[in-house]
Amino acid sequence: EVQLVESGGGLVQPGGSLRLSCAASGFNFSMYWMTWVRQAPGKGLDWVANIVQDGSQKHYVDSVRGRFTISRDNAKNSLWLQMDSLRAEDTAVYYCVRHSGWAFDIWGQGTMVTVSS
Amino acid sequence: QSALTQPPSASGSLGQSVTISCTGTSSDVGTYKYVSWYQQHPGKAPKLIIYEVSKRPSGVPDRISGSKSGNTASLTVSGLQAEDEADYYCNAYTGSNNEMFGGGTKLTVL
């Protein structure tokens, strides 16, 4: 079964850091771009960052560039999102998503990140 | 960079058809064939239902269809069923390896 499982969410104070993880299974992880998408409570979907198959290229939405870092390890079938200098507006459910031909075809169940003092 | 424009809500009766629009610009929807649509039920992760403007993934019924004209993409759900009640989001490639979502449309089945 093709599956993405996120972990690492939680409550963090403004200015703090958090590292999200995503474990992939059931497909050849190294063949796909991967993406993080977030959804603030009661709001729509926002693309956050993506990374190419070998990790050599990474792209970020302007609001997180310089604060978030996306990375992957194909040998471990794993994707990460290091989030630093967190702000209240980063509060959201974060989804790990497989990217196939400029569409997001497989989604994880999401992990909640709450930034609050 | 503004989000793609979707109507906040749409509705239709059981068995009827409803169309949801997604308006971008000549730099995204108007230029590329990479428009996709997602269905999200409350408390669940989104699900891909249309990719590359009009293609359906395996398992998505053919009563769900997509199209594009100029800078506007559209999703049509025909033969509305109760389980179609959900939020729907469009997404488009905007160039430079970036992409953007629409604000979402809440579909109510009457």
Side-chain angles (χ1 to χ4, degrees), chain A residues 33 35 37 39 43-47 50 57 59-60 62 65 95 99-105 107-110, chain B residues 1 34-36 38 40 43-48 50-52 87 89 91 93 96-103:
Chain A
W33 284 44
T35 297
V37 174
Q39 186 171 34
K43 302 296 184 181
L45 302 172
D46 287 316
W47 169 79
N50 63 34
Q57 294 181 50
H59 308 96
Y60 302 91
D62 288 346
R65 189 174 293 113
Y95 294 101
H99 206 172
S100 179
W102 292 111
F104 305 115
D105 66 338
W107 295 67
Q109 85 287 352
Chain B
Q1 196 173 35
Y34 301 116
V35 177
S36 52
Y38 303 84
Q40 186 180 33
K44 301 293 187 181
K47 171 189 173 184
L48 175 67
I50 292 288
Y51 66 101
E52 292 182 10
D87 293 327
Y89 296 91
N91 177 274
Y93 179 67
S96 302
N97 296 315
N98 293 330
E99 47 213 313
M100 183 164 57
F101 283 98

Side-chain angles (χ1 to χ4, degrees), chain A residues 27-50:
Chain A
F27 66 98
N28 190 338
F29 181 73
S30 65
M31 290 184 61
Y32 292 88
W33 284 44
M34 294 298 295
T35 297
W36 288 97
V37 174
R38 68 184 179 184
Q39 186 171 34
K43 302 296 184 181
L45 302 172
D46 287 316
W47 169 79
V48 175
N50 63 34

Side-chain angles (χ1 to χ4, degrees), chain B residues 7 26 28 36 39 47 62 77 82 84 93 97 101-102:
Chain B
S26 58
D28 39 66
S36 52
Q39 177 191 62
K47 171 189 173 184
D62 60 7
V77 183
D84 297 327
Y93 179 67
N97 296 315
F101 283 98

Side-chain angles (χ1 to χ4, degrees), chain B residues 9-28:
Chain B
S9 63
S11 63
S13 300
L14 283 168
Q16 289 189 333
S17 296
V18 64
T19 296
I20 298 170
S21 62
C22 170
T23 301
T25 69
S26 58
S27 299
D28 39 66

Side-chain angles (χ1 to χ4, degrees), chain A:
Chain A
E1 179 189 7
V2 175
Q3 197 172 12
L4 297 168
V5 179
E6 304 94 336
S7 60
L11 174 63
V12 61
Q13 293 188 339
S17 298
L18 212 54
R19 190 190 197 207
L20 304 184
S21 300
C22 172
S25 60
F27 66 98
N28 190 338
F29 181 73
S30 65
M31 290 184 61
Y32 292 88
W33 284 44
M34 294 298 295
T35 297
W36 288 97
V37 174
R38 68 184 179 184
Q39 186 171 34
K43 302 296 184 181
L45 302 172
D46 287 316
W47 169 79
V48 175
N50 63 34
I51 185 168
V52 301
Q53 290 91 332
D54 64 0
S56 62
Q57 294 181 50
K58 306 170 185 181
H59 308 96
Y60 302 91
V61 68
D62 288 346
S63 60
V64 309
R65 189 174 293 113
R67 301 188 298 121
F68 289 11
T69 303
I70 188 172
S71 61
R72 67 189 295 164
D73 184 333
N74 290 338
K76 296 181 179 179
N77 291 332
S78 294
L79 177 75
W80 296 280
L81 185 67
Q82 176 66 41
M83 304 186 295
D84 298 321
S85 302
L86 281 161
R87 307 167 180 166
E89 54 264 37
D90 296 318
T91 294
V93 174
Y94 285 73
Y95 294 101
C96 169
V97 190
R98 190 176 81 171
H99 206 172
S100 179
W102 292 111
F104 305 115
D105 66 338
I106 303 296
W107 295 67
Q109 85 287 352
T111 187
M112 183 70 203
V113 172
T114 302
V115 184
S116 174
S117 55

